[in-house]
């Protein structure tokens, strides 16, 4: 695709830029670092403040760099700001601990509602990376919806265990920071066979008849 925008003034795309994952994961790293430094005396309060500030900065930098913010970081950031505020106002860590439940449940619900109306919304997020047929997008969207609900359920179980004193709050923090990402990565890898089976042929690829003859 061509553009009338001169190459010299075109903003970098977010696709394969290392700054994009750094901005998305940075607030979580800030949250964990501040929690380690302050949790013994103040629980999640200072870490929540740091998370809110880091999230706002990350969203602002994302907009500055690419003039767009993807739906998932935007929704997640909004929930962080709302539930972080509730955490501080009521001095209750429960609110910020509910954030992963709310975000994942929202994503899962949105994907299922989209499917119900014949709109596999996951295609909007992944269209730049994958070119699947309609059946592939529907199957992949359904699987991700279930996975989001799974993450929401796991978070609620851990939150309940913290509330009744079965596990320490630090266990929830550790899972949030170091558990969710590996689980998500493994799940994404498990979808590769489906993606490969439903990937559309590249229209720019040379046809078999156009292949060069073997060397004699």
């Amino acid at each position: 695709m061509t553009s009338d925008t001169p190459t010299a003034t075109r903003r970098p795309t977010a696709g394969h830029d290392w700054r994009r994952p750094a901005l998305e994961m940075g607030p979580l790293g800030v949250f964990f670092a501040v929690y380690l430094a302050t949790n013994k005396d103040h629980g999640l309060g200072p870490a929540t403040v740091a998370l809110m500030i880091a999230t706002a900065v990350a969203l602002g930098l994302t907009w500055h760099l690419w003039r767009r913010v993807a739906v998932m970081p935007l929704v997640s950031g909004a929930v962080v700001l709302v539930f972080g505020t509730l955490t501080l106002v009521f001095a209750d860590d429960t609110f910020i601990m509910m954030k992963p439940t709310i975000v994942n449940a929202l994503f899962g619900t949105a994907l299922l509602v989209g499917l119900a109306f014949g709109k596999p919304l996951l295609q909007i997020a992944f269209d730049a990376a994958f070119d699947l047929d309609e059946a592939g997008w529907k199957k992949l969207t359904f699987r991700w919806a279930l996975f989001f609900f799974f993450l929401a359920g796991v978070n609620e179980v851990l939150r309940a265990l913290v509330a009744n004193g079965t596990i320490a709050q630090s266990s929830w923090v550790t899972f949030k920071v170091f558990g969710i990402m590996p689980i998500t990565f493994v799940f994404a890898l498990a979808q590769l066979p489906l993606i490969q089976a439903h990937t559309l042929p590249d229209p720019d690829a040379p046809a078999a008849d156009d292949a060069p003859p073997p060397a004699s």
Side-chain angles (χ1 to χ4, degrees), residues 72 97-109 111 143-160 172 175-188:
M72 294 179 70
M97 293 177 70
M98 289 175 59
K99 177 262 180 181
T101 301
I102 301 299
V103 169
N104 286 304
L106 283 175
F107 289 153
T109 300
L111 293 181
R143 291 185 182 185
W144 273 99
L146 295 183
F147 180 69
F148 283 130
F149 284 122
F150 165 76
L151 290 180
V154 170
N155 187 73
E156 277 303 286
V157 169
L158 292 178
R159 188 176 69 83
W172 175 85
F175 177 78
K176 174 181 171 61
V177 177
F178 299 108
I180 294 178
M181 187 56 64
I183 292 174
T184 302
F185 181 72
V186 171
F187 173 80

Side-chain angles (χ1 to χ4, degrees), residues 74-148:
L74 187 61
V75 172
S76 181
V79 175
V80 164
L81 296 178
V82 171
F83 280 77
T85 300
L86 292 173
T87 298
L88 300 176
V89 169
F90 293 101
D92 188 347
D93 293 344
T94 300
F95 290 104
I96 197 63
M97 293 177 70
M98 289 175 59
K99 177 262 180 181
T101 301
I102 301 299
V103 169
N104 286 304
L106 283 175
F107 289 153
T109 300
L111 293 181
L112 291 184
V113 170
L115 281 180
F117 286 93
K119 302 287 185 180
L121 299 179
L122 200 67
Q123 185 174 2
I124 298 174
F126 286 171
D127 192 37
F130 307 120
D131 191 11
L132 308 182
D133 57 30
E134 183 178 357
W137 280 121
K138 288 182 177 179
K139 291 177 182 178
L140 191 62
T141 298
F142 183 72
R143 291 185 182 185
W144 273 99
L146 295 183
F147 180 69
F148 283 130

Side-chain angles (χ1 to χ4, degrees), residues 35 39 97 158 161-163 165-174:
Y35 175 77
N39 77 89
M97 293 177 70
L158 292 178
L161 292 176
V162 172
T166 302
I167 63 174
Q169 188 181 72
S170 59
S171 298
W172 175 85
V173 173
T174 300

